[in-house]
């Protein structure tokens, strides 16, 4: 994971709007069970690409791990796609 995290961090350093960089860092931290950090990264990716269904699922999952079920439901609802 360390090498991948380094690559994603470099991508973000080059382009702060690197959706793949933010999403990738979120996935790494989710796998490491660092849910609060994963949420930050997923939310940044969500700001860039709110229509990405896999991203929304990962973000909702992290929110559920953090006991934030209403927030997770909002992310997964159709309503969330129109708020971007």
């Amino acid at each position: 994971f360390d090498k991948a995290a380094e690559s994603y961090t470099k991508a973000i350093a080059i382009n702060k709007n690197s959706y793949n960089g933010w999403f990738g860092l979120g996935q790494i931290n989710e796998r490491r069970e660092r849910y609060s950090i994963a949420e930050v990264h997923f939310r940044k990716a969500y700001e860039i690409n709110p229509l990405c269904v896999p991203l929304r699922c990962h973000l909702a999952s992290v929110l559920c791990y953090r006991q934030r079920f209403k927030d997770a439901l909002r992310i997964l609802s159709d309503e969330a796609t129109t708020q971007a």
Side-chain angles (χ1 to χ4, degrees):
F1 289 129
D2 292 337
K3 192 155 179 90
E6 184 180 320
S7 294
Y8 289 130
T9 301
K10 284 181 183 177
I12 293 166
I14 293 168
N15 177 7
K16 296 286 184 203
N17 290 319
S18 173
Y19 159 78
N20 289 325
W22 292 112
F23 186 37
L25 285 177
Q27 288 179 301
I28 289 169
N29 283 292
E30 182 182 21
R31 292 286 303 258
R32 290 178 170 170
E33 298 180 1
R34 297 176 182 167
Y35 301 120
S36 61
I37 297 169
E39 180 185 350
V40 170
H41 293 137
F42 285 146
R43 285 206 180 269
K44 184 62 179 172
Y46 183 75
E47 288 175 17
I48 297 164
N49 189 2
L51 301 179
C52 179
V53 174
L55 166 61
R56 291 168 64 189
C57 290
H58 280 278
L59 177 53
S61 176
V62 164
L63 290 168
C64 286
Y65 277 115
R66 301 190 71 209
Q67 306 294 307
R68 293 174 47 207
F69 305 111
K70 287 183 181 179
D71 290 338
L73 246 153
R74 189 191 66 75
I75 291 294
L76 294 173
S77 73
D78 290 337
E79 179 182 316
T81 61
T82 61
Q83 294 177 358

